[in-house]
Amino acid sequence: MKEYYENPLIERYSSKEILKIFSADNKFQTWRKLWVALAEAEKELDLHITDEQINELKSKIFDIDYELAARKEKELRHDVMAHVHTYGAQCPKAKGIIHLGATSAYVGDNTDVIVYTQGLLHIQKLLINLINHLSNFALQHKDLPTLGFTHFQPAQLTTVGKRACLWIQDLLMDLTDLNHVIDHIKLLGVKGTTGTQASFMELFDGDQEKVKRIDQLVAEKMGFKKTFAVTGQTYPRKFDAHVLNVLSGIAQSLSKFATDIRLLQSLKEVEEPFEKTQIGSSAMAYKRNPMRTERICSLARHIIINSLNPAITAATQWFERTLDDSANKRISIPEGFLAADAIIMIAINVSENLVVYPKVILQHINAELPFMVTENIIMEGVKRGGDRQELHEKIRVLSMEAGNTVKVEGKPNDLIERILKDGTFNLAAKDVDALLDPSLYVGRAPQQVTDFINEEVNPILKDNENILNLNKTDLKV
């Protein structure tokens, strides 16, 4: 019996790994690790805290009495103090030194930074694996000519692999943004109620060096190099906006990728994976709907819109602290990560199982190529004694006639036959056939693929070999 709402991101889309990162266990265990780090730092700076108290705190980091915490929060109407009391009940010897000198933001904000960092590293791992799969696809199909499209109208030829490089390049830009955010992450540190560290100045009898040092010590114990130099009670909410902007950028890139695949599937040129027993439509049994890439576009839209939440929050904070961020960020930021995890995992599944139909691609090329080779035909005609301007006018007239045959009469493009029959160009069928090889019209596309992968992608993949070959047993598609 399921009578209550369940979050689809949890039930249908997101991986166990990202759900663990944003789990209650990870959150509240991190709170306790931060309380241990604070006690250790305070002891090292000569406050009267014993090893026995610290060891007792350490022994209960992973043993959280959630029932007691819930009862205490209902009584106290304060989540942090509820957990302080719960931890104290489990650690009676250390009860009096838990949270000493700290404010709620000490555990809340520092934990958020830690959890978001874990989430960003997880997204980084997924993104690099996706880039790897798309790179393999690009190299595999770097020489396969295909119609290029501008305005979704047939244009000059490109290759299937070259088009994939456009997707990869967008993702490389996202990876650069992601790495920048990761490289510049800072903890809130130990700042007190308005960021002045006044409570710690009191604890350490006005010793500014010790107060400065406790900020550094806690950061080091939690695995971070830096804290924000100045804050109010919280870390700057601009950080949350930066994090969601990165996820939004990834969503934008993957929506573009997925939309291209959906269009190509409609053209029957490229298809997302379709399983043997999969049903495409409840009514039309023959259909093979692109449900994976449609899901990417759907969830990507949620991420892009959701990125406005921390932006507006950052814009509307008052002075050193307001609490109108809390309820919003505990929903919007985890959901942004969960949805980003889902779309990248789906994109990985799609990219390593894409099906390409070269004969359909060639059929579409052949329908348009006669128009595209007309300039070459004019030049060949001139070589055989023709007048360039006369041949140009002749091609223009014949092209209009052939276009009318295609669009009005619904017949195949017969421009080449019209040119050969005309006789003005002095060309035999074998001369024109030599001009109809699609590979002659892809420019440097194959070499561009090779150069791009070798120069811009492979160095990144080499630096991250340890996180390639992702375990995808948890993938929900």
Side-chain angles (χ1 to χ4, degrees):
M1 185 173 179
K2 293 191 173 184
E3 58 180 320
Y4 299 114
Y5 172 79
E6 295 176 338
N7 189 322
L9 286 169
I10 298 171
E11 298 300 319
R12 296 179 66 89
Y13 304 130
S14 305
S15 70
K16 289 179 181 177
E17 188 169 352
I18 197 70
L19 294 178
K20 286 179 180 178
I21 289 171
F22 284 91
S23 68
D25 275 352
N26 192 36
K27 175 180 177 177
F28 295 119
Q29 288 167 11
T30 303
W31 280 19
R32 293 191 171 190
K33 290 174 185 176
L34 282 159
W35 279 319
V36 170
L38 181 62
E40 286 180 331
E42 288 173 337
K43 179 180 182 297
E44 290 173 31
L45 295 171
D46 303 322
L47 289 188
H48 185 63
I49 295 173
T50 66
D51 288 335
E52 184 181 22
Q53 289 173 313
I54 290 172
N55 289 334
E56 185 181 48
L57 290 175
K58 286 181 176 179
S59 72
K60 296 296 182 179
I61 286 175
F62 303 103
D63 181 18
I64 299 171
D65 187 342
Y66 286 109
E67 290 186 7
L68 177 57
R71 290 200 304 271
K72 284 292 182 182
E73 184 170 354
K74 188 174 182 180
E75 172 192 341
L76 303 172
R77 307 294 293 175
H78 197 289
D79 57 347
V80 173
M81 286 307 298
H83 278 268
V84 169
H85 281 272
T86 300
Y87 204 9
Q90 294 177 291
C91 304
K93 294 175 183 176
K95 179 181 177 182
I97 57 94
I98 298 171
H99 199 67
L100 183 59
T103 188
S104 299
Y106 169 71
V107 286
D109 272 35
N110 283 316
T111 292
D112 282 348
V113 172
I114 292 165
V115 170
Y116 300 166
T117 301
Q118 294 168 352
L120 290 169
L121 290 171
H122 171 73
I123 295 298
Q124 180 191 59
K125 176 178 66 177
L126 297 184
L127 197 57
I128 290 169
N129 275 270
L130 174 57
I131 290 168
N132 181 44
H133 288 301
L134 285 174
S135 298
N136 292 335
F137 178 83
L139 288 171
Q140 181 182 355
H141 300 288
K142 68 183 179 69
D143 296 309
L144 180 60
T146 189
L147 277 179
F149 288 93
T150 59
H151 317 279
F152 203 26
Q153 302 297 310
Q156 287 186 350
L157 301 187
T158 182
T159 70
V160 172
K162 170 66 190 308
R163 178 176 284 143
C165 287
L166 300 180
W167 305 327
I168 297 168
Q169 183 163 258
D170 284 349
L171 294 172
L172 288 180
M173 295 170 69
D174 297 324
L175 183 62
T176 297
D177 292 342
L178 175 61
N179 290 340
H180 178 80
V181 171
I182 291 172
D183 291 343
H184 291 83
I185 288 175
K186 301 173 184 178
L187 280 184
L188 166 67
V190 185
K191 296 297 197 298
T193 56
T194 58
T196 64
Q197 298 179 295
S199 56
F200 294 97
M201 287 289 285
E202 178 68 25
L203 276 175
F204 293 109
D205 298 321
D207 189 333
Q208 291 204 33
E209 287 305 312
K210 285 186 176 180
V211 174
K212 185 176 180 180
R213 179 62 180 146
I214 196 171
D215 208 53
Q216 298 165 341
L217 276 174
V218 167
E220 291 166 8
K221 290 177 183 295
M222 299 307 296
F224 287 78
K225 295 178 180 178
K226 293 183 178 181
T227 64
F228 284 100
V230 292
T231 70
Q233 187 179 105
T234 66
Y235 65 73
R237 292 309 185 231
K238 287 284 288 187
F239 172 69
D240 294 348
H242 286 177
V243 169
L244 265 291
N245 281 341
V246 168
L247 301 185
S248 174
I250 294 169
Q252 294 160 36
S253 299
L254 290 187
S255 186
K256 165 69 164 67
F257 157 75
T259 300
D260 282 355
I261 297 300
R262 291 164 64 192
L263 292 169
L264 289 168
Q265 185 152 332
S266 178
L267 294 171
K268 297 181 173 59
E269 293 188 359
V270 177
E271 194 171 71
E272 71 173 41
F274 193 91
E275 295 169 20
K276 187 175 181 180
T277 58
Q278 182 175 333
I279 294 174
S281 167
S282 62
M284 295 166 279
Y286 63 89
K287 291 189 76 179
R288 295 166 70 99
N289 296 335
M291 66 87 150
R292 288 169 170 84
T293 44
E294 286 177 328
R295 184 179 299 171
I296 290 173
C297 290
S298 185
L299 291 174
R301 191 180 312 132
H302 174 67
I303 297 167
I304 294 166
I305 297 301
N306 188 42
S307 66
L308 286 173
N309 269 304
I312 294 171
T313 294
T316 56
Q317 287 294 285
W318 296 358
F319 302 118
E320 282 69 41
R321 172 64 160 143
T322 53
L323 201 59
D324 60 324
D325 60 335
S326 178
N328 185 289
K329 78 195 296 286
R330 74 172 65 211
I331 298 170
S332 61
I333 297 178
E335 285 199 354
F337 274 99
L338 267 59
D341 162 269
I343 63 172
I344 303 174
M345 291 287 277
I346 298 167
I348 288 171
N349 173 263
V350 169
S351 64
E352 65 177 340
N353 295 287
L354 279 172
V355 181
V356 178
Y357 295 106
K359 290 184 178 179
V360 177
I361 293 172
L362 181 59
Q363 183 183 49
H364 292 159
I365 290 174
N366 287 338
E368 303 294 337
L369 194 58
F371 295 124
M372 297 179 186
V373 303
T374 52
E375 183 177 1
N376 299 65
I377 289 174
I378 290 172
M379 289 187 290
E380 288 297 320
V382 171
K383 288 179 184 177
R384 287 162 173 75
D387 179 285
R388 193 267 176 197
Q389 309 311 326
E390 291 179 7
L391 295 180
H392 182 278
E393 176 59 20
K394 180 67 71 172
I395 283 280
R396 188 189 69 80
V397 172
L398 295 176
S399 295
M400 295 301 107
E401 293 172 356
N404 188 70
T405 298
V406 172
K407 290 184 279 189
V408 176
E409 300 179 28
K411 295 179 180 179
N413 188 334
D414 62 354
L415 177 59
I416 299 302
E417 289 86 345
R418 290 174 183 274
I419 290 171
L420 291 173
K421 284 181 183 178
D422 184 90
T424 308
F425 295 85
N426 249 345
L427 295 174
K430 63 179 180 62
D431 300 321
V432 177
D433 287 344
L435 299 176
L436 292 174
D437 178 0
S439 66
L440 297 175
Y441 303 98
V442 297
R444 291 192 62 250
Q447 189 60 46
Q448 283 180 318
V449 173
T450 301
D451 292 346
F452 174 67
I453 300 298
N454 286 341
E455 295 169 13
E456 298 200 29
V457 179
N458 283 342
I460 293 171
L461 299 179
K462 183 174 176 57
D463 288 341
N464 292 278
E465 286 177 323
N466 59 314
I467 60 172
L468 296 177
N469 301 316
L470 187 71
N471 181 3
K472 297 179 287 297
T473 57
D474 189 34
L475 180 62
K476 297 177 184 177
V477 294

